[in-house]
Amino acid sequence: MKVIKIGGGCLNGKKTISAILDLLSVRGKGNIIVVSALHGITDMLIEGMKSALADDQNIPDLMSQLKHRHMLVAKYLIPSGLPLREYRQDLSRMLAQLERMFYGLNFTREITPRISDHISSFGERLSGQLLSAAMRASGTRSLYRMPHKIGIVTDGKYGDATANLVKTARNLRQNVIPTLKSSQVLFIPGFFGVSENGEITTFGRGGSDYAAAVVTAASGAEMLEIWKDVDGFLSADPRFIEGAELIPELSYDEAAELSYFGAKILHPRTVEPLRKSRLPIEIRNTMNPDVTGSRVTNRKIVTPSVVKSVAHTTDIGIIKIHAPGVGARPGIFGDVSTAVAEGGVNIKSVVTSQTCISLLLAQKDLESARQALQAARPRHFRRLEKEEDIALVSIVGEGMARKPGIAARCFSAAAACKVNIEMIAFGPSPVACYFIVKERDLPKAVTAIHTTFFENPGRSEVGPSQTSDNK
Ligand code: ASP
Ligand code: MG
């Protein structure tokens, strides 16, 4: 048995969805299918909360848009008559629940983390309901089971929950495994689980990949297939590098690092539940389903160029906290990170020196972090500085930490095209090195580094390709 995860990027348009259901009617039987919301629906729900808060008159319009998006697909895939009538009823029932929550939010004048998670979970609920109904209409037995009913248990942290694998495994063994049938397709909505107190909690944006990994590990499945609208991880962003190559096989660490900073292929936490039992991930393009894209496995392959990918992101900013002697003052970093965390901000990375702590944050978090630090008492710093016009480049590959000269080659490549590297971090992960450049220099930097490693990999002092298993 395997778990197949279907991304929201490919649940886009009735014809694409119909093609995916055709594939599932063959490949999905006997397996568990974890689904994302239809393309754009989660954004609609999140925006919807703001407009519902502003004015309850906006709610009917929002509800009819949601209904329309799902009915459009349903009318194409489900024959009119009884099956379509039944689906319409089920959909209305689910939307009525959601509508009550939007009114509740307007009444209480507040978008709490609790209601926000609850409302955002509806995208996946709606798509699970729709796909399962459409599958049945096409003559394949199918049902959907809700994460909170079957017991995908979380730690209760809103917006960034972690699953409890032991408890989830126990629940799935009881509630799901006995109901699996080789003639049937079982859908489970991704993105959320339920805390021990019964609260709906999401795994963060893009979290259906992680949900699928949790279901894979907890159900005793042999692997996770992720169906997307791309083949997998590439050696660089194809918008910058025309000849970017597909990476056929990556280690768990490589996939995690690439996802953390840059490549939007997997949710960065997807590998967590899988690595202990060494369950592989295969990425498949639904437009090209017979070809395996990237495989993520337990093997650590060192390629001749050592570097497998040059990823980047512009969704990054820095807060520099200038304070003399920070390197020698115990506790200051603790105070800084507490202040920032209390402002609801996640620190992506930190670089410190004697006189400055630099916090790497998502763009959207810069201002809240700055305000939280300004307000913190005692105040440890002389000055705060915010940098926004930057980009982060990361190079990722197994074996980097052991091969001399990798970082040096990046810097020479950058220097040769007059790109200034503002900050560098090498060491926290043995498979990744990242550095900061000005945003306007990004395409030049990526191109230069990619060329260095991919167009003449032989130039490195590295021996022939080797493979070593991670024991
Ligand atoms: N629908 C959720 C999101 O857009 C989760 C996911 O698709 O992975 O973030
Ligand atoms: Mg995704």
Side-chain angles (χ1 to χ4, degrees):
M1 190 264 291
K2 62 186 170 190
V3 172
I4 298 173
K5 185 259 171 178
I6 305 184
C10 48
L11 293 174
N12 192 5
K14 53 191 183 184
K15 296 205 171 123
T16 323
I17 296 175
S18 163
I20 288 173
L21 289 175
D22 285 345
L23 284 174
L24 280 180
S25 66
V26 184
R27 298 171 198 226
K29 282 187 185 151
N31 296 319
I32 299 177
I33 319 301
V34 172
V35 288
S36 280
L38 300 195
H39 183 74
I41 296 292
T42 310
D43 288 335
M44 212 158 150
L45 292 167
I46 291 172
E47 285 307 309
M49 285 187 244
K50 293 181 204 148
S51 62
L53 182 69
D55 188 345
D56 63 359
Q57 308 249 3
N58 295 330
I59 297 172
D61 194 36
L62 176 63
M63 296 314 300
S64 72
Q65 276 182 53
L66 286 164
K67 181 169 186 177
H68 175 73
R69 281 286 310 270
H70 291 84
M71 279 310 293
L72 210 66
V73 179
K75 281 187 196 145
Y76 185 71
L77 294 170
I78 304 176
S80 52
L82 186 62
L84 190 61
R85 270 206 308 280
E86 270 175 8
Y87 171 73
R88 195 193 296 270
Q89 265 170 17
D90 292 344
L91 173 66
S92 299
R93 226 171 280 136
M94 201 180 275
L95 289 176
Q97 265 183 49
L98 176 61
E99 186 177 30
R100 278 197 295 279
M101 265 181 288
F102 279 122
Y103 280 108
L105 175 157
N106 175 276
F107 184 73
T108 57
R109 293 256 146 261
E110 196 183 6
I111 306 179
T112 59
R114 176 168 175 268
I115 194 123
S116 170
D117 267 24
H118 205 142
I119 288 181
S120 10
S121 75
F122 272 78
E124 273 68 14
R125 300 180 193 221
L126 290 163
S127 82
Q129 181 190 54
L130 170 65
L131 296 185
S132 169
M135 193 92 245
R136 273 196 305 279
S138 75
T140 302
R141 290 173 62 177
S142 169
L143 57 135
Y144 70 97
R145 305 288 306 279
M146 287 296 177
H148 49 298
K149 300 274 169 64
I150 55 177
I152 297 185
V153 181
T154 73
D155 63 359
K157 189 164 178 228
Y158 296 115
D160 185 28
T162 299
N164 181 321
L165 278 183
V166 175
K167 290 188 176 149
T168 304
R170 193 174 3 166
N171 293 338
L172 296 193
R173 241 185 332 254
Q174 212 169 56
N175 304 328
V176 176
I177 309 304
T179 67
L180 287 177
K181 294 194 186 72
S182 59
S183 58
Q184 164 193 285
V185 179
L186 173 67
F187 289 95
I188 299 180
F191 191 37
F192 69 99
V194 63
S195 74
E196 303 206 38
N197 302 329
E199 299 293 345
I200 298 295
T201 31
T202 68
F203 300 120
R205 291 309 306 269
S208 293
D209 293 334
Y210 174 73
V214 168
V215 171
T216 306
S219 66
E222 69 217 33
M223 66 171 300
L224 168 60
E225 255 179 43
I226 299 212
W227 290 12
K228 290 188 70 73
D229 49 2
V230 296
D231 291 337
F233 288 95
L234 298 178
S235 64
D237 185 335
R239 284 171 303 181
F240 287 178
I241 311 286
E242 228 181 90
E245 297 160 23
L246 179 76
I247 311 173
E249 190 166 334
L250 296 86
S251 68
Y252 292 126
D253 284 337
E254 287 173 331
E257 289 296 335
L258 278 176
S259 309
Y260 190 55
F261 282 130
K264 290 206 163 37
I265 303 293
L266 287 185
H267 186 273
R269 296 181 61 197
T270 314
V271 303
E272 277 174 29
L274 303 173
R275 65 181 338 145
K276 205 165 133 220
S277 335
R278 301 183 178 186
L279 299 167
I281 306 173
E282 274 183 23
I283 295 168
R284 262 164 213 273
N285 188 339
T286 56
M287 309 302 257
N288 193 9
D290 293 324
V291 175
T292 307
S294 300
R295 268 174 68 83
V296 181
T297 72
N298 185 51
R299 292 192 331 143
K300 301 184 170 193
I301 298 175
V302 181
T303 55
S305 61
V306 183
V307 173
K308 288 200 185 69
S309 187
V310 185
H312 66 85
T313 177
T314 51
D315 181 19
I316 194 99
I318 300 181
I319 297 254
K320 288 189 172 162
I321 304 163
H322 295 279
V326 277
R329 277 160 54 189
I332 170 166
F333 182 66
D335 291 347
V336 162
S337 44
T338 307
V340 173
E342 280 170 0
V345 168
N346 173 37
I347 300 177
K348 285 185 161 264
S349 192
V350 191
V351 183
T352 58
S353 74
Q354 259 314 310
T355 56
C356 179
I357 300 178
S358 295
L359 304 179
L360 264 61
L361 309 168
Q363 282 279 356
K364 67 168 179 24
D365 289 337
L366 275 184
E367 189 44 35
S368 353
R370 198 191 60 80
Q371 285 174 11
L373 286 166
Q374 277 302 355
R377 296 291 177 274
R379 204 159 151 199
H380 291 296
F381 53 86
R382 249 196 355 239
R383 191 162 59 86
L384 288 178
E385 196 185 341
K386 211 165 70 168
E387 267 196 75
E388 292 174 90
D389 56 344
I390 53 160
L392 180 143
V393 180
S394 51
I395 55 172
V396 173
E398 284 290 345
M400 272 181 28
R402 295 192 305 273
K403 303 288 177 201
I406 298 281
R409 283 181 69 189
C410 284
F411 300 141
S412 340
C417 58
K418 301 210 163 37
V419 169
N420 184 33
I421 290 182
E422 309 226 324
M423 185 193 282
I424 150 159
F426 196 177
S429 160
V431 306
C433 165
Y434 55 82
F435 41 88
I436 302 289
V437 297
K438 282 273 179 249
E439 194 168 332
R440 60 165 187 274
D441 287 337
L442 183 64
K444 262 201 300 194
V446 171
T447 310
I449 294 164
H450 191 269
T451 308
T452 300
F453 288 103
F454 289 86
E455 278 168 32
N456 43 9
R459 232 204 67 192
S460 74
E461 318 67 323
V462 168
S465 131
Q466 33 175 292
T467 306
S468 64
D469 260 56
N470 170 28
K471 292 279 137 74

